Amino acid sequence: MITFLLALVLLFVGYFTYGKFVERVFQPKADRPTPAYTQADGVDYLPMGKNKNALIQLISIAGVGPIFGPIMGALYGPVAFIWIVLGCIFAGAVHDYLTGMISIRNGGAHLPELAGRFLGKAMKHVVNAFSILLLLLVGTVFVASPADLLYDLVNGSVPVLIFVILIFIYFLLATILPINKIIGSIYPYIGALLLFSTVGIGIALVWHQAPIPELSFENTHPAGTAIFPLLFLTISCGALSGFHATQSPIISRTTQNESQGRRIFYGMMIAEGMIAMIWAAAAMSLFDGPITLNELINTIGTGGIVSEISTAMLGPIVGTLAILGVIILPITSGDTAFRSARMIIADYIKVPQKKMMNRIWIALPLFIMSIFLTTVDFTMLWQYFNWANQSTAVIALWIGAMFLYISRRNYWIAIFPAWFMSVTATTYIMNAPIGLNLSMQTSVIIGIVFTIFLTVLFFKAASNRRGNNHPLEDDVSDWKQSA
């Protein structure tokens, strides 16, 4: 219990200390007009309040990641707490803040546009394809998981296919309608439900003095799976997630003032870390007896464990509300995944999005591809998503480091997590069966060598850009036209 409470305190303190430090490094300008005003179109670019933007950001980045991931990560034992705390404060929140703020400084640009500007024009095309693939995987995965949970909730009285169709219809509407019509209207209430249920479970853990294990570096995974690199891909949304780099630019187009960035981007990642901590602790405490967590995962699945935790901690009525909140979470990340994909494609092919038909003809092919992906094995999709997700985080961190280096600011806050995740993501794909299936030792060596190679390329390119007075933030229109 002490470890659990200390971890929550550290996350809270991290927001007011390291978060403030990161903000000072970036140097937000409160008097600088944001894209919400300078590029207002009434669809994607429009100002919304600070609290509304913060809750939308939280719900967009949350999904089932900070719940399902930590439950699976709980198999490794209390070492998962360490990654959630350190990853969230020094990597994930930095990643989200830099992505959102650099986007604001660059006209609300999405990740491919930022990659093209700061890592070279060739990277724009690579990251564009990579981002669309990631968002398609997210959207597809977040159709299947809530549909299955809804099917279980109604005891199989309604076919899963009906829920899938309804979710896809909602996704389409949320993708093409102005952001304030659906997302801006309902997300704050969903955010309140998420916080209510999570805080309720956290209070219940403390009230009942749940047997949460104390800090230990021992690997308790029943299959003996090594902590590195899998833990750092299993727990992503609760610590560091590249998916967030595709979501932050959505809110960068609705942010009223740069000074709001720390609460919206850094703060909501810290909030997600707290959510992850609570669910990981609940999983460790409730299922560490005759029936182990691993046995339950194999029999009733992660969704079933969510139901068990919710009803055991909060009772049948409030617990059901918590389950509904968990069902809604992936839906509210799936819709923004498709919305983000639509915006990225529109930026890439330079099609204005003010007209409804322009949004529809870009969105429809995305949904057709997603429907096809629903026929693919879910487990395999999830494995590829894990790798693509953390690889996207690597790209976003290198972009952040480049921005800070060129602007002569403390780029080490992005370089250190970029190094770690470059080694991690490369090692995983080299070692995993879905990758090259090499030995772990060989995979780690390749991961280190590849990261050194990236570092050399980074400093060479960064020095050239700094020496050539590469434009940063004062002439957005010129760089967009030349991109």
Side-chain angles (χ1 to χ4, degrees):
M1 182 63 71
I2 294 176
T3 298
F4 168 64
L5 294 175
L6 179 61
L8 291 177
V9 170
L10 288 174
L11 286 169
F12 183 78
V13 171
Y15 171 74
F16 290 100
T17 55
Y18 198 68
K20 190 68 176 178
F21 171 72
V22 171
E23 183 181 50
R24 285 200 302 270
V25 169
F26 187 86
Q27 300 172 16
K29 299 177 181 178
D31 59 347
R32 180 184 175 88
T34 62
Y37 297 101
T38 60
Q39 297 177 233
D41 64 0
V43 178
D44 298 316
Y45 292 90
L46 53 90
M48 294 194 297
K50 176 173 61 177
N51 292 333
K52 179 177 285 190
N53 275 330
L55 284 173
I56 292 173
Q57 173 73 1
L58 175 61
I59 295 301
S60 296
I61 66 177
V64 291
I67 298 175
F68 283 15
I71 289 174
M72 297 297 294
L75 292 171
Y76 291 91
V79 69
F81 293 157
I82 302 173
W83 169 233
I84 291 172
V85 172
L86 297 182
C88 192
I89 295 173
F90 298 105
V94 174
H95 166 280
D96 290 12
Y97 180 80
L98 290 178
T99 304
M101 295 301 291
I102 295 172
S103 176
I104 289 176
R105 287 286 174 91
N106 291 274
H110 273 274
L111 194 64
E113 292 284 348
L114 296 177
R117 186 175 192 212
F118 293 104
L119 301 182
K121 290 184 178 180
M123 283 300 294
K124 174 181 177 179
H125 308 298
V126 173
V127 177
N128 188 77
F130 204 81
S131 298
I132 297 300
L133 172 62
L134 172 63
L135 291 166
L136 272 174
L137 289 174
V138 170
T140 304
V141 166
F142 288 172
V143 168
S145 56
D148 289 339
L149 285 170
L150 284 168
Y151 177 79
D152 292 337
L153 192 65
V154 299
N155 295 319
S157 60
V158 178
V160 172
L161 180 61
I162 298 298
F163 290 122
V164 169
I165 293 172
L166 291 175
I167 292 170
F168 266 124
I169 292 172
Y170 166 75
F171 279 179
L172 178 61
L173 292 174
T175 300
I176 64 175
L177 290 177
I179 191 168
N180 61 334
K181 297 302 181 184
I182 292 183
I183 293 174
S185 297
I186 67 173
Y187 269 35
Y189 299 103
I190 296 171
L193 176 61
L194 168 64
L195 294 174
F196 168 76
S197 59
T198 304
V199 170
I201 290 173
I203 292 174
L205 286 171
V206 177
W207 182 265
H208 296 294
Q209 289 294 296
I212 303 170
E214 299 299 346
L215 181 61
S216 168
F217 293 95
E218 179 187 0
N219 180 8
T220 62
H221 199 288
T225 304
I227 292 173
F228 182 85
L230 275 175
L231 174 64
F232 307 100
L233 282 89
T234 302
I235 302 179
S236 56
C237 284
L240 169 66
S241 171
F243 172 64
H244 299 186
T246 68
Q247 302 302 289
S248 293
I250 295 177
I251 302 304
S252 77
R253 300 183 179 195
T254 62
T255 301
Q256 297 171 316
N257 189 298
E258 285 190 2
S259 63
Q260 299 172 354
R262 182 162 66 98
R263 174 184 289 189
I264 294 172
F265 301 116
Y266 196 100
M268 291 306 100
M269 183 62 220
I270 292 294
E272 189 183 64
M274 291 182 173
I275 293 169
M277 183 66 62
I278 289 171
W279 282 95
M284 289 183 204
S285 67
L286 286 184
F287 308 114
D288 190 28
I291 301 177
T292 66
L293 176 60
N294 187 55
E295 288 171 333
L296 278 173
I297 289 175
N298 291 330
T299 54
I300 64 175
T302 315
I305 291 173
V306 168
S307 299
E308 290 285 335
I309 291 174
S310 299
T311 53
M313 288 290 181
L314 303 176
I317 297 176
V318 180
T320 300
L321 287 175
I323 294 168
L324 285 173
V326 173
I327 291 171
I328 292 171
L329 278 178
I331 296 175
T332 53
S333 286
D335 60 4
T336 51
F338 282 111
R339 187 180 187 89
S340 181
R342 189 260 299 166
M343 293 162 67
I344 288 173
I345 294 172
D347 289 349
Y348 187 73
I349 61 179
K350 295 179 170 51
V351 175
Q353 294 296 279
K354 196 165 186 177
K355 294 181 179 179
M356 174 72 77
M357 284 308 301
N358 285 352
R359 286 171 256 153
I360 290 175
W361 72 257
I362 290 177
L364 283 179
L366 292 171
F367 284 96
I368 292 172
M369 287 186 282
S370 181
I371 290 170
F372 169 75
L373 286 174
T374 58
T375 63
V376 180
D377 178 61
F378 178 86
T379 303
M380 181 178 293
L381 273 183
W382 190 256
Q383 291 178 37
Y384 278 111
F385 162 74
N386 283 339
W387 174 74
N389 186 40
Q390 297 305 65
S391 296
T392 302
V394 169
I395 294 169
L397 286 166
W398 284 113
I399 290 171
M402 183 66 75
F403 176 93
L404 295 174
Y405 186 96
I406 297 170
S407 55
R408 302 179 187 277
R409 299 170 197 169
N410 184 352
Y411 55 88
W412 294 107
I413 63 173
I415 282 280
F416 283 124
W419 280 343
F420 177 73
M421 289 313 301
S422 295
V423 174
T424 301
T426 305
T427 299
Y428 173 77
I429 201 63
M430 291 294 109
N431 175 253
I434 64 167
L436 297 184
N437 205 21
L438 302 176
S439 70
M440 179 58 72
Q441 182 178 8
T442 301
S443 299
V444 171
I445 292 172
I446 293 174
I448 294 172
V449 171
F450 181 66
T451 301
I452 293 172
F453 174 70
L454 289 179
T455 304
V456 172
L457 288 182
F458 169 83
F459 280 108
K460 182 178 180 181
S463 298
N464 289 337
R465 282 171 167 76
R466 181 189 280 182
N468 295 332
N469 295 318
H470 186 71
L472 278 173
E473 56 199 49
D474 296 322
D475 202 354
V476 174
S477 59
D478 284 354
W479 78 258
K480 275 193 170 183
Q481 290 171 5
S482 64

